Amino acid sequence: MTEKRKCVLDGIRVADFTRVYSGPAATQLLGDLGADVIKVEDLGQGDDARVFGIGDNSHHPLQGASAAFIALNRNKRSIGLDLKVPAARDAALKLAEVSDVVIHNFRPGVMERLGLGYEDIRAVNPRVIYCDISGYGSAGPLAKQGANDLALQAHSGLMSITGTEQGEVVRCGSAVIDLHCGVIAAAAVLGALLHRERTGEGQRVEASLLSSSADLMAVFYGEYWLDGTIPKPMGSGNRLGVPNQAFATTDGAVIIVANNDDMWRRIAGALDKERLDQPEFRPIAGRRQHRKRLLDMVAEICARHTTQTLLDVLSAAKVVASPLYNVAQAADHPQLAAIGGIAEVDIAGQPIKLITAPMRMEKTPPSVRRAPPAHAADTIEILRELGLTPAQIDALAEAGGIRAADAARRTRKTG
Amino acid sequence: MTEKRKCVLDGIRVADFTRVYSGPAATQLLGDLGADVIKVEDLGQGDDARVFGIGDNSHHPLQGASAAFIALNRNKRSIGLDLKVPAARDAALKLAEVSDVVIHNFRPGVMERLGLGYEDIRAVNPRVIYCDISGYGSAGPLAKQGANDLALQAHSGLMSITGTEQGEVVRCGSAVIDLHCGVIAAAAVLGALLHRERTGEGQRVEASLLSSSADLMAVFYGEYWLDGTIPKPMGSGNRLGVPNQAFATTDGAVIIVANNDDMWRRIAGALDKERLDQPEFRPIAGRRQHRKRLLDMVAEICARHTTQTLLDVLSAAKVVASPLYNVAQAADHPQLAAIGGIAEVDIAGQPIKLITAPMRMEKTPPSVRRAPPAHAADTIEILRELGLTPAQIDALAEAGGIRAADAARRTRKTG
């Protein structure tokens, strides 16, 4: 029978023990796809990411809700539980028992010590899909080592190929490994849900920053294993194309890419056929041999024109080119809004823009249904859904096991 | 009834019209998860990525199989079809008709002109999942613009925050947007397969480099929309932590991350409590105010020790730290092998190492079953599976519609 579902994960509940970046990215995507994501936060400040960078933003309009937290935590409800208090740990286990997916990014061993390891949860919920997200995976000499995005940028060699031609290496400006890991974890969960739908069988799945970084570096590792190549950073360029980098214009910069000879001829034709379309610049080996001379000529031409003029001629010649935008220009570019890339939610009475899920699905479109939650905003509501009585909830509060920003609401409703 | 499946996508067929990076990354992941991926290649050199960088590698052991191609095309069979020859196009449509998933990364409109658009395929295969991968999405002013990873690094602002403190911006060394897009497309297909499993309904899904880049930049766009921040590159550091960057050692460099005050106290204690654990360096606002003095002191200490000595003391203090490895050190680090991150296949009689799928699944483990195919290695085999008779295959060959590296094999078998 054909059943109508608005989102692909409608009816799926996710018990989310993650914080900071990779895990919240994974669960946000599951939430965008329709899942009911319940974010378990400690009683202190909650997810560390709530205050990331806030120190830099004293003029920040939303106290206690950093840009990082806002970007990664929509479509979630928040429950404040101190997992070291037995009754609160029991509530967490109850949540895991009635969830389809349990996901965490503690160091290996932490969930087990809390009595929330895979075996603990499978015992009460045999169909559970349990997802570990770790820094370096669950085996090997570094398994217990803490990690973050920058550590893996350094460990993976990504930093060693990111930098200037003079050899100064720099970080890739965004937390690309964390965020890639988030989508990988979500994909593993989707695969496991498909398997469970067919067979009834749950399973344990795992993503790690190390595996995610290796996925981003696979071409370079493979080349090194093939022939010993150890690449160095090349500024905005790389070894694959000439040109394949940024050039300054009168009012900014433009990147121009010739990834084959045909593209180079089109670039030469668009910029200055007479000077550039020379036989020694084809095939690619010639452009590599005469790299400096060719790049100097292209640079000299670009330096005489505006970015827009260059884009117009290059794009008419079907050359891959782009302005080098800053964050403001990128965020506000009309193309992003045109493809539905921006949503708006209300936080503390203010309209806040968010980037939507990165895929489109015609029949089951991802959606933004809830703004990122205030810390412990839904504690009482969730405990009630788990079947706790008002007396049990009061006892939990007295034992110091919960934080409940919705306690006032509860009082109003029940008082 | 519980059904045993070795991989989660066993029995799923993917008609793969993608090339270069994002698309092949997506279909390789589907193949790793068990799908039968049939890569449709043109009759010239096939996927452009087959020769990427080969010019730099005249000592390359596998002529015509670049590191980039090898890294992104295992678990696929290759059929060589000239889609402009009507009978070959018909064979492609037949393939799409019997496939669960059809995926391409041509510019918008190309598949439609070939008669292989979503509506064409849905007409013969109503349950199909059809995945478009594009540069800038399917609507808006840039929809028809060609793109690649570097173009989106520039367009998205990722390059504008990647570079030196002096303001020289550089590319992120790997094609992170392409590869992130690949996993996003695979996740969309997995979601659509789950929906189809439940409802019988196929659908069209879409990923784009633009959406994928926005996913990686969401925190920065959000911060700009909140308070107007337009970040600049900061070398190996960023604004969130002090320290949070690389420091030179006697024999290399190490990254050290203090993402909160507690982590900073542990760093100070591990390196030189007396000099570093000063009240003006807490909380984070103090470390920002005295950034240069603090970083100079940490740099001076690190410069007197080996990387290993520093790692030992930092890791004993549970500080997030890592050596800055080059590609060789990263690829050969025992941790990667320990978590099953490396597989080996045979290509032209040589053992070749590959990076495995970036997730682990206990019950349905991703696997490497086939080496990356030679160009058109499986043409005859696939045409036969599609039900073409030997006479029809001969006619197709005579019309110039196919390339068949397995033709000799066919002759031997049928002759």
Side-chain angles (χ1 to χ4, degrees):
Chain A
M1 197 192 79
T2 298
E3 187 189 351
K4 271 276 170 217
R5 278 170 196 268
K6 213 176 154 190
C7 284
V8 67
L9 297 185
D10 276 356
I12 295 292
R13 187 180 294 119
V14 177
D16 177 7
F17 294 88
T18 72
R19 63 263 183 275
V20 184
Y21 268 64
S22 57
T27 56
Q28 174 165 282
L29 183 50
L30 298 174
D32 289 351
L33 294 174
D36 176 19
V37 178
I38 297 173
K39 184 178 179 81
V40 179
E41 299 192 72
D42 68 30
L43 306 195
Q45 66 187 11
D47 186 340
D48 273 349
R50 286 185 178 274
V51 296
F52 271 10
I54 292 278
D56 266 335
N57 295 288
S58 47
H59 55 304
H60 198 291
L62 304 167
Q63 271 203 316
S66 74
F69 183 81
I70 291 173
L72 296 171
N73 288 284
R74 62 165 170 264
N75 289 338
K76 301 179 188 177
R77 296 187 287 165
S78 169
I79 179 171
L81 290 179
D82 182 347
L83 297 174
K84 284 169 193 136
V85 172
R89 200 241 37 153
D90 291 348
L93 185 63
K94 184 134 194 114
L95 170 63
E97 184 182 338
V98 299
S99 292
D100 301 278
V101 178
V102 173
I103 178 166
H104 77 92
N105 62 351
F106 290 109
R107 291 190 193 199
V110 171
M111 286 292 270
E112 285 74 10
R113 281 202 297 282
L114 292 166
L116 296 168
Y118 178 51
E119 295 306 330
D120 302 304
I121 291 172
R122 198 167 58 140
V124 295
N125 180 1
R127 283 168 48 97
V128 73
I129 290 157
Y130 190 95
C131 179
D132 305 279
I133 301 179
S134 63
Y136 294 95
S138 53
L142 299 182
K144 305 240 161 174
Q145 181 94 3
N148 73 348
D149 182 82
L150 182 63
L152 268 297
Q153 288 199 28
H155 180 96
S156 68
L158 177 55
M159 272 182 79
S160 78
I161 60 171
T162 302
T164 67
E165 293 207 53
Q166 291 72 43
E168 180 181 347
V169 301
V170 304
R171 78 162 68 203
C172 178
S174 184
V176 295
I177 296 172
D178 264 335
L179 296 166
H180 193 53
C181 183
V183 179
I184 288 165
V189 167
L190 287 165
L193 283 167
L194 177 58
H195 178 72
R196 193 183 74 166
E197 188 73 24
R198 286 172 167 168
T199 65
E201 181 176 66
Q203 65 178 305
R204 183 174 196 163
V205 302
E206 185 186 336
S208 66
L209 299 184
L210 178 62
S211 287
S212 305
S213 71
D215 191 63
L216 296 175
M217 293 294 291
V219 170
F220 296 96
Y221 295 172
E223 186 173 28
Y224 158 70
W225 284 324
L226 280 174
D227 62 17
T229 300
I230 301 177
K232 293 188 187 322
M234 292 184 65
S236 68
N238 72 5
R239 295 166 303 137
L240 293 182
V242 181
N244 179 352
Q245 63 225 93
F247 297 93
T249 65
T250 57
D251 59 348
V254 63
I255 67 105
I256 303 178
V257 179
N259 43 22
N260 57 42
D261 289 337
D262 179 49
M263 191 74 94
W264 164 245
R265 292 187 87 145
R266 279 184 271 151
I267 292 168
L271 293 181
D272 187 337
K273 191 168 162 50
E274 202 173 327
R275 282 179 70 196
L276 295 178
D277 193 11
Q278 298 180 16
E280 70 264 34
F281 291 155
R282 286 192 316 269
I284 173 70
R287 295 199 294 288
R288 288 205 180 97
Q289 193 187 330
H290 303 289
R291 186 170 196 269
K292 185 166 172 355
R293 185 157 63 91
L294 185 155
L295 294 181
D296 285 349
M297 285 198 290
V298 174
E300 192 272 317
I301 294 165
C302 290
R304 284 191 277 114
H305 297 285
T306 65
T307 302
Q308 194 55 53
T309 305
L310 289 164
L311 280 179
D312 289 345
V313 299
L314 290 167
S315 132
K318 295 208 168 191
V319 169
V320 170
S322 170
L324 211 156
Y325 286 135
N326 68 23
V327 163
Q329 294 167 316
D332 288 339
H333 194 289
Q335 183 65 22
L336 186 58
I339 63 167
I342 303 172
E344 208 169 270
V345 293
D346 179 285
I347 304 182
Q350 293 190 50
I352 301 291
K353 286 193 201 179
L354 301 173
I355 295 299
T356 58
M359 71 272 284
R360 310 283 166 262
M361 302 181 74
E362 250 181 24
K363 300 287 184 188
T364 56
S367 65
V368 174
R369 302 174 306 282
R370 276 177 177 271
H375 181 201
D378 311 288
T379 302
I380 304 297
E381 174 182 297
I382 294 163
L383 291 171
R384 282 183 178 165
E385 287 173 17
L386 294 175
L388 273 72
T389 64
Q392 286 172 315
I393 294 172
D394 287 343
L396 200 45
E398 273 153 37
I402 59 170
R403 173 171 166 152
D406 58 346
R409 241 192 308 145
R410 172 176 71 108
T411 310
R412 276 203 309 279
K413 277 184 189 160
T414 61
Chain B
M1 199 192 78
T2 297
E3 187 188 351
K4 272 274 169 217
R5 276 168 197 271
K6 212 174 152 192
C7 283
V8 68
L9 297 185
D10 277 355
I12 296 293
R13 186 180 294 119
V14 177
D16 177 6
F17 294 89
T18 72
R19 63 263 183 276
V20 185
Y21 267 64
S22 58
T27 56
Q28 173 165 283
L29 183 50
L30 298 174
D32 288 351
L33 294 173
D36 175 21
V37 179
I38 297 173
K39 183 175 179 84
V40 179
E41 299 192 72
D42 68 31
L43 306 196
Q45 66 186 13
D47 187 340
D48 274 347
R50 287 185 178 274
V51 295
F52 271 10
I54 291 277
D56 268 335
N57 296 288
S58 45
H59 56 303
H60 198 292
L62 304 167
Q63 271 204 315
S66 74
F69 182 80
I70 291 173
L72 296 170
N73 288 285
R74 63 166 171 262
N75 289 338
K76 301 178 187 178
R77 296 187 287 165
S78 169
I79 179 170
L81 290 178
D82 182 347
L83 297 174
K84 285 171 193 133
V85 172
R89 200 239 40 149
D90 291 348
L93 186 63
K94 184 133 193 118
L95 171 64
E97 185 182 340
V98 299
S99 292
D100 301 278
V101 178
V102 174
I103 179 167
H104 77 93
N105 62 352
F106 290 110
R107 291 191 192 200
V110 171
M111 285 292 270
E112 284 74 11
R113 282 202 295 281
L114 292 167
L116 297 167
Y118 178 52
E119 295 306 330
D120 302 303
I121 291 171
R122 196 166 61 139
V124 295
N125 180 1
R127 283 168 48 97
V128 73
I129 290 157
Y130 189 95
C131 180
D132 305 280
I133 301 179
S134 64
Y136 294 96
S138 53
L142 299 183
K144 305 243 161 173
Q145 182 95 3
N148 73 347
D149 183 83
L150 182 63
L152 268 295
Q153 287 200 30
H155 180 97
S156 68
L158 177 56
M159 272 184 79
S160 78
I161 60 172
T162 302
T164 67
E165 292 207 55
Q166 291 72 41
E168 180 182 346
V169 300
V170 304
R171 78 162 67 202
C172 179
S174 184
V176 295
I177 296 172
D178 264 335
L179 296 167
H180 193 53
C181 183
V183 179
I184 288 165
V189 168
L190 287 166
L193 284 167
L194 178 59
H195 178 72
R196 193 184 73 166
E197 187 73 24
R198 285 172 168 169
T199 64
E201 182 176 66
Q203 64 179 305
R204 183 175 196 164
V205 302
E206 186 186 336
S208 65
L209 298 185
L210 179 61
S211 287
S212 305
S213 71
D215 191 62
L216 296 175
M217 293 294 292
V219 170
F220 296 96
Y221 296 172
E223 186 174 28
Y224 158 70
W225 284 324
L226 280 174
D227 61 17
T229 301
I230 302 176
K232 293 189 189 319
M234 291 183 66
S236 68
N238 72 6
R239 296 167 303 136
L240 292 182
V242 181
N244 180 351
Q245 63 224 92
F247 297 93
T249 64
T250 57
D251 58 349
V254 62
I255 66 103
I256 302 178
V257 179
N259 43 23
N260 57 41
D261 290 338
D262 180 49
M263 190 74 95
W264 164 244
R265 292 187 87 144
R266 280 185 270 151
I267 292 168
L271 293 183
D272 186 339
K273 191 168 164 49
E274 201 173 329
R275 282 179 70 195
L276 294 177
D277 192 12
Q278 298 180 16
E280 71 263 36
F281 292 156
R282 289 194 313 270
I284 172 70
R287 294 199 295 287
R288 288 205 180 96
Q289 195 188 330
H290 304 289
R291 187 171 196 268
K292 186 170 173 349
R293 184 156 64 88
L294 185 155
L295 295 181
D296 285 349
M297 284 198 288
V298 174
E300 192 272 317
I301 294 165
C302 291
R304 285 190 275 114
H305 298 284
T306 64
T307 302
Q308 194 55 53
T309 305
L310 289 164
L311 281 180
D312 289 345
V313 299
L314 291 167
S315 130
K318 295 209 165 188
V319 169
V320 170
S322 169
L324 211 157
Y325 286 135
N326 69 23
V327 163
Q329 294 167 315
D332 288 337
H333 194 289
Q335 183 65 23
L336 186 57
I339 62 167
I342 303 173
E344 208 169 89
V345 293
D346 178 284
I347 304 183
Q350 294 189 52
I352 301 292
K353 286 193 200 178
L354 301 173
I355 294 299
T356 58
M359 71 272 285
R360 310 283 167 261
M361 301 180 75
E362 251 181 24
K363 300 286 184 189
T364 56
S367 64
V368 174
R369 303 174 305 282
R370 277 176 175 270
H375 182 201
D378 311 289
T379 301
I380 303 298
E381 174 182 298
I382 294 163
L383 291 172
R384 282 181 179 166
E385 287 174 16
L386 294 174
L388 273 72
T389 63
Q392 287 173 315
I393 294 173
D394 287 343
L396 201 44
E398 272 152 38
I402 58 170
R403 172 172 167 152
D406 59 346
R409 240 191 312 145
R410 171 176 74 107
T411 310
R412 275 202 308 279
K413 277 183 189 160
T414 61

